Amino acid sequence: MNGLHRVRDTFFNGHLLAEVFPSLLRTGLLNTLVLALLASAIGLVAGILLASGLMSRRLVVRVPCRTYVDILRGLPHILSIYLIGQGLPLAGLNVFGTWTYGYAALAIGLTEGSYMAEIFRSGFQSVDPGIVEAARSLGMSHGKAMRLVVVPVGFRRVLPALTGQFILVIKSTALVYLLGLVTGQREMFAIAQDASANDASLTPLVAAGVLYLAITVPLTYAVNAWDRRLRDGRRARPATEPVPQQEALV
Amino acid sequence: MSTSGSPAKSAAPPAPEAGHRSPTAVRFEDVRKSYGATPVLRGVGLEVAGGTTTCVIGPSGSGKSTLLRCANLLEVPDSGRVLIGGEAITAPGADVDRIRTRVGMVFQRFHLFPHHTVLDNVTLALRQVLGTPREKAVEIARSRLAEVGLTGVEDRRPHQLSGGQQQRVAIARSLAMDPEVMLFDEATSALDPELVKGVLAVMRDLAGRGMTMLVVTHEMRFAREVAHQVAFLDGGRLLETAPPEQFFDAPRSERLRGFLDQVL
């Protein structure tokens, strides 16, 4: 029985849970979400720009983008986060002042952007050149065809892969504790880790884990549902419904 | 118009009405094109008079599709000129996007926009290229869809339609721009046999109403019954251009005779 108690105290200590949960929810969850949204936004913009660069016919555009993507995808995240998040302020590039979030979001966003760039590139390149020709034959400029056809069609195609990347962003936010955050800035992992260290119980970490799952798992399902809706249209009807086929023509 | 088959007409198709259309709607002048070292078009000259239909036939690899694609500059000729209603689309500095709005194109594999409903497929270019207000664009789209025999499918996605329906949406999408010329690139080759007729009927109807059409096709009966002029392309050269009766019944070149023996 003693063994079971120990297991419970280590992972599911109700007392400790009640103590840590409010700040996990109020401070941690909020900060995690804000950080993830910021980093995702940066990653999306960086990803789309880099993807365009990767597809460029001009070497001076393509090579730097390729190099950037290869480097950031090849480094451990923890290293990039240190280099960007701590490196920028240390080097005097205080673009965000003392706002650690800014550096953290930038570090995660720029890293994730390199992954998203490859996802977008594959998506844009998978768009049937025929529909691009159709768009051009209707008088759309290259830019309009990109904006109205290639990007929306390619985007839909990579939605599942992109969701996976968003989930990675959410999980990456746990690494920003490395940059040193003041109390009010701590996200879920930092709060849980501090609490765990103080009380020699991993209960706060388990609670944080449940909260992470509460975000990531529904997100996957929500995006899958969205994906299905995009595929089938707003008012999806069975494709087998009979439709007049060979009507006489006026 | 009935879609049921009728025996080949022996009389020539009705002459195009003299109207507002320019006498020559499409004109190729000594068009040459190579892919790398392989010549595809070796100096092709062809004229399509306004309001008439020209069918281009020939073996695969003869350059039919390339020629057609030169008409709206999806392929850029290495040399030679292509004129649409007297305006050279091949001229340096030509406003290609604007000229393309006057030339509709229907592809073998439909190429509908998969992320849009049928209605939005037809209105997209109207709104985004011509700047037509939404209500007006929808009105045009509905009437064009009705013309190709499609009603009640406006809210569907392309993948929910049969190939024949998709191709008719593609035709409606091009017609919505009110083009001077329609190009058809083997528009029925990718269709199941039972769906070919419906699409050909739409094309026949269009031709009958005086649309200028340049049609690359393997449908010999369509060419014989609908075209005012049939052109035979072989090895990148235009070997023979003639009215359909002469083309099919009295081919001049040995090559065309051999080709017709194979396909008829």
Side-chain angles (χ1 to χ4, degrees):
Chain A
M1 276 326 265
N2 195 25
L4 261 183
H5 275 293
R6 229 175 118 178
V7 168
R8 199 194 60 197
D9 278 349
T10 305
F11 297 110
F12 309 104
N13 184 329
H15 199 65
L16 202 51
L17 191 66
E19 213 169 276
V20 77
F21 211 70
S23 70
L24 256 187
L25 266 185
R26 263 203 308 270
T27 314
L29 184 62
L30 183 74
N31 283 340
T32 293
L33 287 179
V34 169
L35 202 52
L37 283 177
L38 261 177
S40 296
I42 295 171
L44 273 178
V45 172
I48 289 180
L49 290 178
L50 285 165
S52 317
L54 290 176
M55 293 189 297
S56 172
R57 254 173 273 171
R58 278 180 301 180
L59 221 60
V60 290
V61 177
R62 199 172 66 237
V63 170
C65 289
R66 181 83 264 165
T67 310
Y68 175 93
V69 169
D70 285 348
I71 290 176
L72 281 195
R73 289 206 310 167
L75 288 177
H77 287 191
I78 195 165
L79 186 71
S80 320
I81 286 176
Y82 264 127
L83 282 181
I84 299 171
Q86 219 164 54
L88 285 185
L90 269 180
L93 303 166
N94 295 310
V95 276
F96 298 109
T98 56
W99 190 47
T100 316
Y101 264 22
Y103 300 102
L106 189 68
I108 298 170
L110 289 180
T111 306
E112 294 302 332
S114 65
Y115 288 89
M116 289 185 187
E118 285 291 11
I119 293 175
F120 280 127
R121 184 188 56 78
S122 72
F124 295 161
Q125 285 182 341
S126 77
V127 173
D128 180 358
I131 65 170
V132 183
E133 285 188 344
R136 298 304 305 274
S137 79
L138 290 163
M140 286 186 208
S141 62
H142 175 75
K144 266 190 184 147
M146 283 296 284
R147 185 165 59 79
L148 296 171
V149 177
V150 176
V151 171
V153 173
F155 186 83
R156 281 162 169 77
R157 202 157 293 170
V158 299
L159 211 47
L162 221 48
T163 320
Q165 213 55 42
F166 283 134
I167 287 171
L168 284 179
V169 172
I170 292 168
K171 295 194 290 186
S172 296
T173 57
L175 288 169
V176 301
Y177 80 94
L178 296 165
L179 299 177
L181 299 163
V182 299
T183 316
Q185 287 180 326
R186 292 181 306 167
E187 38 62 58
M188 295 199 297
F189 177 74
I191 290 174
Q193 202 207 18
D194 287 353
S196 294
N198 287 343
D199 296 288
S201 163
L202 298 184
T203 302
L205 283 173
V206 171
V210 170
L211 284 180
Y212 278 113
L213 290 176
I215 307 171
T216 52
V217 173
L219 180 66
T220 313
Y221 285 91
V223 173
N224 283 346
W226 186 34
D227 187 40
R228 266 196 306 278
R229 219 180 75 153
L230 285 179
R231 270 180 224 288
D232 298 342
R234 280 162 298 216
R235 278 182 278 165
R237 275 170 292 183
T240 48
E241 183 186 327
V243 172
Q245 281 271 329
Q246 309 276 331
E247 303 279 85
L249 295 149
V250 190
Chain B
M1 179 194 269
S2 163
T3 62
S4 59
S6 58
K9 282 179 283 184
S10 53
E17 299 166 41
H20 60 284
R21 300 200 187 274
S22 77
T24 303
V26 187
R27 185 184 167 93
F28 298 88
E29 292 177 357
D30 194 28
V31 171
R32 291 168 193 273
K33 172 81 183 171
S34 300
Y35 293 129
T38 316
V40 183
L41 297 175
R42 306 171 190 241
V44 174
L46 180 67
E47 274 186 32
V48 182
T52 70
T53 295
T54 294
C55 286
V56 180
I57 67 168
S60 24
S62 59
K64 306 184 296 288
S65 287
T66 305
L67 180 69
L68 195 75
R69 292 160 58 85
C70 283
N72 64 355
L73 226 59
L74 286 182
E75 300 286 349
V76 182
D78 298 335
S79 68
R81 298 207 304 164
V82 180
L83 293 94
I84 303 294
E87 192 174 1
I89 194 172
T90 45
D95 187 348
V96 175
D97 290 338
R98 186 180 51 78
I99 299 175
R100 278 177 177 156
T101 63
R102 294 157 40 198
V103 182
M105 181 152 190
V106 177
F107 299 85
Q108 185 178 354
R109 303 210 53 90
F110 332 135
H111 298 326
L112 295 180
F113 306 130
H115 59 307
H116 282 307
T117 61
V118 165
L119 192 70
D120 290 344
N121 260 277
V122 184
T123 59
L124 187 68
L126 272 176
R127 296 169 58 200
Q128 297 287 343
V129 178
L130 300 184
T132 313
R134 187 179 167 83
E135 294 74 40
K136 179 73 183 156
V138 167
E139 186 188 317
I140 293 172
R142 287 190 193 280
S143 88
R144 290 310 200 185
L145 284 168
E147 271 172 44
V148 299
L150 288 174
T151 45
V153 298
E154 287 89 344
D155 291 328
R156 294 190 184 208
R157 297 288 166 131
H159 71 95
Q160 296 172 312
L161 303 180
S162 73
Q165 290 173 322
Q166 289 188 52
Q167 192 59 298
R168 285 186 280 161
V169 173
I171 294 172
R173 175 175 71 175
S174 287
L175 289 178
M177 303 292 282
D178 196 21
E180 295 163 30
V181 179
M182 285 287 286
L183 311 172
F184 291 87
D185 189 3
E186 298 193 20
T188 57
S189 300
L191 296 176
D192 291 339
E194 75 270 23
L195 302 178
V196 169
K197 234 183 197 175
V199 171
L200 286 181
V202 170
M203 293 168 62
R204 195 184 289 261
D205 178 53
L206 259 183
R209 286 187 289 146
M211 173 60 77
T212 307
M213 314 214 304
L214 184 54
V215 183
V216 168
T217 187
H218 293 294
E219 299 286 339
M220 295 303 150
R221 210 177 77 179
F222 178 85
R224 183 192 274 273
E225 292 174 14
V226 177
H228 301 82
Q229 170 180 250
V230 186
F232 179 56
L233 201 61
D234 185 48
R237 286 199 182 83
L238 209 54
L239 291 193
E240 202 158 333
T241 307
E245 317 80 64
Q246 185 190 327
F247 186 93
F248 288 106
D249 300 333
R252 279 164 305 179
S253 67
E254 196 57 50
R255 184 69 190 90
L256 176 54
R257 233 166 294 157
F259 177 77
L260 290 175
D261 278 346
Q262 294 300 313
V263 297
L264 289 180

